[in-house]
Amino acid sequence: MKIRIKDNSVRLRLTMSEIDKLGNTGEVASRTEFINQPFVYRILQTDTEELIASFVENEIVIGMSANMVKELVATERIGFDGQSGPVKILVEKDFACIDNTLEDQSDNFPNPNLKC
């Protein structure tokens, strides 16, 4: 899972296997190991209807409704956006890049802009 943070905006991009895991378990998480403590970012399936965000003890938690998770897993829908307080949230599928990159993209969704 990739995270991009800019000011009051948080964007999470999930690979195919991460979308599957979210659908099967209701949770997916990633972490970055800093010297003194990890930074964790997680998506949890919740009972809320809107995207929600919290930040507690070096962990960002994004809550998504079961309906959102189901739609993300079972349809061509690319993602969901919302706002939690002042924080704008975007959760979306991670597509393969069109231009060359050294990053492993084998688990990314096929890019709809590529004619393969």
Side-chain angles (χ1 to χ4, degrees):
M1 180 166 46
K2 295 177 189 169
I3 188 168
R4 176 180 282 168
I5 301 172
K6 183 176 183 340
D7 301 327
N8 281 344
S9 177
V10 176
R11 177 183 179 192
L12 297 167
R13 293 179 17 198
L14 288 79
T15 63
M16 291 187 293
S17 60
E18 290 164 337
I19 295 279
D20 287 342
K21 183 176 182 181
L22 180 61
N24 290 327
T25 68
E27 178 177 356
V28 65
S30 290
R31 64 190 298 126
T32 300
E33 296 291 336
F34 288 98
I35 294 171
N36 295 329
Q37 56 198 12
F39 167 61
V40 178
Y41 40 107
R42 177 183 319 274
I43 299 175
L44 290 175
Q45 183 175 303
T46 62
D47 293 333
T48 62
E49 289 304 312
E50 302 294 323
L51 289 173
I52 58 172
S54 66
F55 181 71
V56 178
E57 297 181 10
N58 302 313
E59 182 173 2
I60 293 174
V61 178
I62 304 296
M64 289 184 76
S65 73
N67 289 335
M68 287 179 185
V69 171
K70 183 177 179 181
E71 190 171 346
L72 201 58
V73 170
T75 71
E76 297 295 315
R77 176 132 187 190
I78 294 171
F80 290 91
D81 63 337
Q83 188 148 347
S84 183
V87 178
K88 295 178 184 175
I89 306 164
L90 176 61
V91 176
E92 62 187 353
K93 294 175 179 173
D94 193 8
F95 291 101
C97 294
I98 293 175
D99 40 351
N100 293 333
T101 181
L102 297 177
E103 179 182 331
D104 178 11
Q105 299 188 73
S106 60
D107 194 27
N108 290 17
F109 288 87
N111 192 310
N113 294 323
L114 292 177
K115 306 290 186 215
C116 299

Coordinates of all heavy atoms in Angstrom, one line a residue, residues 9-50:
S9 N -4.3 16.3 3.2 CA -4.8 15.3 2.2 C -4.0 14.0 2.4 O -2.8 14.0 2.4 CB -4.6 15.9 0.8 OG -5.0 15.0 -0.1
V10 N -4.7 12.9 2.5 CA -4.1 11.6 2.6 C -4.7 10.7 1.5 O -5.9 10.6 1.3 CB -4.4 10.9 3.9 CG1 -3.9 9.5 4.0 CG2 -3.9 11.8 5.1
R11 N -3.8 10.1 0.7 CA -4.1 9.3 -0.5 C -3.5 7.9 -0.3 O -2.3 7.8 -0.1 CB -3.6 9.9 -1.7 CG -3.9 9.1 -3.0 CD -3.3 9.8 -4.2 NE -3.4 9.1 -5.4 CZ -2.8 9.4 -6.5 NH1 -2.0 10.5 -6.6 NH2 -3.0 8.7 -7.6
L12 N -4.3 6.9 -0.3 CA -3.8 5.5 -0.2 C -4.1 4.7 -1.5 O -5.2 4.8 -1.9 CB -4.4 4.8 1.0 CG -4.1 5.4 2.4 CD1 -5.1 4.8 3.4 CD2 -2.7 5.1 2.7
R13 N -3.1 4.1 -2.0 CA -3.2 3.3 -3.2 C -2.9 1.8 -2.9 O -1.9 1.5 -2.4 CB -2.3 3.8 -4.3 CG -2.8 5.2 -4.8 CD -2.0 5.9 -5.8 NE -1.1 5.0 -6.6 CZ -0.1 5.5 -7.3 NH1 0.1 6.8 -7.3 NH2 0.7 4.7 -8.0
L14 N -3.9 0.9 -3.3 CA -3.8 -0.5 -2.9 C -3.6 -1.4 -4.2 O -4.2 -1.1 -5.2 CB -5.0 -0.9 -2.2 CG -5.2 -0.5 -0.8 CD1 -5.7 1.0 -0.8 CD2 -6.2 -1.3 0.0
T15 N -2.7 -2.4 -4.0 CA -2.5 -3.3 -5.1 C -3.6 -4.3 -5.1 O -4.5 -4.3 -4.2 CB -1.2 -4.1 -4.9 OG1 -1.3 -4.8 -3.7 CG2 0.0 -3.1 -4.9
M16 N -3.6 -5.2 -6.1 CA -4.7 -6.2 -6.2 C -4.7 -7.1 -5.0 O -5.8 -7.4 -4.5 CB -4.4 -7.1 -7.5 CG -4.7 -6.3 -8.8 SD -4.6 -7.3 -10.3 CE -2.9 -7.8 -10.3
S17 N -3.6 -7.6 -4.5 CA -3.6 -8.5 -3.3 C -4.0 -7.8 -2.1 O -4.7 -8.3 -1.2 CB -2.2 -9.1 -3.1 OG -1.2 -8.2 -2.9
E18 N -3.7 -6.5 -2.0 CA -4.2 -5.7 -0.8 C -5.7 -5.5 -0.8 O -6.3 -5.6 0.2 CB -3.4 -4.4 -0.8 CG -2.0 -4.5 -0.4 CD -1.1 -3.3 -0.7 OE1 -1.5 -2.5 -1.5 OE2 0.0 -3.2 0.0
I19 N -6.2 -5.3 -2.0 CA -7.7 -5.1 -2.2 C -8.3 -6.5 -1.8 O -9.3 -6.5 -1.0 CB -8.1 -4.7 -3.6 CG1 -7.6 -3.3 -3.9 CG2 -9.6 -4.9 -3.8 CD1 -8.4 -2.2 -3.4
D20 N -7.8 -7.6 -2.2 CA -8.3 -8.9 -1.9 C -8.2 -9.1 -0.4 O -9.2 -9.6 0.2 CB -7.5 -10.0 -2.6 CG -7.8 -10.1 -4.1 OD1 -8.9 -9.6 -4.5 OD2 -7.0 -10.7 -4.8
K21 N -7.1 -8.8 0.3 CA -7.0 -8.9 1.7 C -8.0 -8.1 2.5 O -8.6 -8.5 3.4 CB -5.6 -8.6 2.2 CG -5.3 -8.8 3.6 CD -3.9 -8.5 4.1 CE -3.8 -8.8 5.5 NZ -2.4 -8.6 6.0
L22 N -8.2 -6.8 2.0 CA -9.2 -6.0 2.6 C -10.6 -6.6 2.5 O -11.3 -6.6 3.5 CB -9.1 -4.6 2.0 CG -10.1 -3.5 2.5 CD1 -9.9 -3.3 4.0 CD2 -10.0 -2.3 1.7
G23 N -10.9 -7.2 1.4 CA -12.2 -7.8 1.2 C -12.4 -9.0 2.0 O -13.4 -9.3 2.6
N24 N -11.3 -9.8 2.2 CA -11.4 -11.1 3.0 C -11.3 -10.9 4.5 O -11.9 -11.7 5.2 CB -10.3 -12.0 2.5 CG -10.5 -12.6 1.1 OD1 -11.6 -12.7 0.7 ND2 -9.4 -12.8 0.4
T25 N -10.5 -10.0 4.9 CA -10.2 -9.8 6.4 C -10.8 -8.5 7.0 O -10.9 -8.4 8.2 CB -8.7 -9.9 6.7 OG1 -8.1 -8.7 6.2 CG2 -8.1 -11.1 6.1
G26 N -11.1 -7.6 6.1 CA -11.6 -6.3 6.6 C -10.5 -5.3 7.1 O -10.8 -4.3 7.7
E27 N -9.3 -5.7 6.7 CA -8.1 -4.9 7.2 C -6.9 -5.1 6.3 O -6.7 -6.2 5.8 CB -7.8 -5.2 8.6 CG -6.6 -4.5 9.2 CD -6.3 -4.9 10.6 OE1 -7.1 -5.6 11.2 OE2 -5.3 -4.4 11.2
V28 N -6.2 -4.0 6.1 CA -4.9 -4.1 5.4 C -4.0 -3.0 6.0 O -4.5 -1.9 6.3 CB -5.1 -3.9 3.8 CG1 -5.6 -2.6 3.4 CG2 -3.8 -4.2 3.1
A29 N -2.8 -3.3 6.2 CA -1.9 -2.3 6.8 C -0.5 -2.4 6.2 O -0.1 -3.4 5.7 CB -1.8 -2.6 8.3
S30 N 0.2 -1.3 6.3 CA 1.6 -1.2 6.0 C 2.4 -0.4 7.0 O 1.7 0.3 7.8 CB 1.8 -0.5 4.6 OG 1.3 -1.3 3.6
R31 N 3.7 -0.5 7.0 CA 4.5 0.2 8.0 C 5.8 0.6 7.5 O 6.4 -0.1 6.6 CB 4.6 -0.6 9.3 CG 5.4 -1.9 9.1 CD 5.3 -2.9 10.3 NE 5.8 -2.4 11.5 CZ 5.2 -2.3 12.7 NH1 4.0 -2.8 12.8 NH2 5.8 -1.8 13.8
T32 N 6.3 1.7 8.1 CA 7.7 2.2 7.8 C 8.4 2.2 9.1 O 8.0 2.7 10.1 CB 7.6 3.6 7.2 OG1 6.9 3.5 6.0 CG2 9.0 4.1 6.9
E33 N 9.6 1.5 9.1 CA 10.3 1.3 10.4 C 11.3 2.5 10.5 O 12.3 2.5 9.8 CB 11.1 0.0 10.4 CG 10.2 -1.2 10.4 CD 9.4 -1.4 11.7 OE1 9.9 -0.9 12.7 OE2 8.4 -2.0 11.6
F34 N 11.0 3.4 11.4 CA 11.9 4.5 11.7 C 12.8 4.0 12.8 O 12.6 3.0 13.4 CB 11.2 5.8 12.1 CG 10.6 6.4 10.9 CD1 9.2 6.3 10.6 CD2 11.3 7.3 10.1 CE1 8.6 6.9 9.5 CE2 10.7 7.9 9.0 CZ 9.4 7.7 8.7
I35 N 13.9 4.7 13.1 CA 14.8 4.3 14.2 C 14.2 4.0 15.5 O 14.4 3.0 16.1 CB 16.0 5.3 14.3 CG1 16.8 5.3 13.0 CG2 16.9 5.0 15.5 CD1 17.8 6.4 12.9
N36 N 13.4 5.0 16.0 CA 12.8 4.9 17.3 C 11.4 4.2 17.4 O 11.1 3.6 18.4 CB 12.7 6.2 17.9 CG 14.0 6.9 18.2 OD1 15.0 6.2 18.4 ND2 14.1 8.2 18.1
Q37 N 10.7 4.2 16.3 CA 9.3 3.6 16.3 C 8.8 3.5 14.9 O 9.2 4.3 14.0 CB 8.4 4.4 17.2 CG 8.3 5.9 16.8 CD 7.7 6.7 18.0 OE1 7.6 6.2 19.1 NE2 7.3 7.9 17.7
P38 N 7.9 2.6 14.7 CA 7.3 2.5 13.3 C 6.2 3.5 13.1 O 5.6 4.1 14.0 CB 6.7 1.1 13.3 CG 6.3 0.9 14.7 CD 7.4 1.6 15.6
F39 N 6.0 3.8 11.8 CA 4.8 4.6 11.3 C 3.9 3.6 10.6 O 4.4 2.9 9.7 CB 5.3 5.7 10.4 CG 4.2 6.4 9.6 CD1 3.2 7.0 10.3 CD2 4.2 6.4 8.3 CE1 2.1 7.6 9.6 CE2 3.1 7.0 7.5 CZ 2.1 7.6 8.2
V40 N 2.7 3.5 11.0 CA 1.8 2.5 10.5 C 0.6 3.2 9.8 O 0.1 4.2 10.3 CB 1.2 1.6 11.6 CG1 0.2 0.6 11.0 CG2 2.4 0.9 12.3
Y41 N 0.2 2.7 8.7 CA -1.0 3.2 8.0 C -1.9 2.0 7.7 O -1.4 1.0 7.2 CB -0.8 4.1 6.8 CG 0.3 3.7 5.9 CD1 0.1 3.2 4.7 CD2 1.7 3.9 6.3 CE1 1.1 2.8 3.8 CE2 2.7 3.5 5.4 CZ 2.4 3.0 4.2 OH 3.4 2.6 3.3
R42 N -3.2 2.1 8.0 CA -4.1 1.0 8.0 C -5.4 1.4 7.5 O -5.9 2.5 7.7 CB -4.2 0.5 9.4 CG -5.1 -0.7 9.7 CD -5.2 -1.0 11.2 NE -4.0 -1.0 11.9 CZ -3.1 -2.0 12.0 NH1 -3.4 -3.1 11.4 NH2 -2.0 -1.8 12.7
I43 N -6.1 0.5 6.8 CA -7.5 0.6 6.4 C -8.3 -0.4 7.1 O -7.9 -1.6 7.0 CB -7.7 0.6 4.9 CG1 -6.9 1.7 4.1 CG2 -9.2 0.6 4.5 CD1 -6.9 1.6 2.6
L44 N -9.4 0.0 7.8 CA -10.2 -1.0 8.5 C -11.6 -0.8 7.9 O -12.1 0.3 7.7 CB -10.3 -0.7 9.9 CG -9.0 -0.9 10.8 CD1 -9.3 -0.4 12.2 CD2 -8.7 -2.4 10.8
Q45 N -12.3 -2.0 7.8 CA -13.7 -2.0 7.4 C -14.5 -1.6 8.7 O -14.2 -2.1 9.8 CB -14.2 -3.3 7.0 CG -15.6 -3.4 6.5 CD -15.9 -4.7 6.0 OE1 -15.3 -5.2 5.0 NE2 -16.9 -5.4 6.5
T46 N -15.4 -0.6 8.6 CA -16.1 -0.1 9.8 C -17.6 -0.1 9.5 O -18.0 -0.4 8.4 CB -15.6 1.4 10.1 OG1 -16.0 2.2 9.0 CG2 -14.2 1.4 10.4
D47 N -18.3 0.3 10.5 CA -19.8 0.4 10.4 C -20.2 1.8 9.9 O -21.4 2.0 9.7 CB -20.4 0.1 11.8 CG -20.3 -1.3 12.2 OD1 -20.1 -2.2 11.4 OD2 -20.3 -1.5 13.4
T48 N -19.3 2.7 9.7 CA -19.7 4.0 9.3 C -19.9 4.0 7.8 O -19.5 3.1 7.1 CB -18.5 5.0 9.6 OG1 -17.4 4.6 8.8 CG2 -18.2 5.1 11.0
E49 N -20.7 5.0 7.3 CA -21.0 5.1 5.9 C -20.0 5.9 5.1 O -19.9 5.9 3.9 CB -22.5 5.6 5.7 CG -23.5 4.5 6.1 CD -23.3 3.2 5.4 OE1 -23.2 3.2 4.1 OE2 -23.4 2.1 6.0
E50 N -19.3 6.8 5.8 CA -18.4 7.7 5.2 C -16.9 7.3 5.5 O -16.7 6.5 6.5 CB -18.6 9.1 5.8 CG -20.0 9.7 5.6 CD -20.3 9.9 4.1 OE1 -19.4 10.3 3.3 OE2 -21.5 9.7 3.7

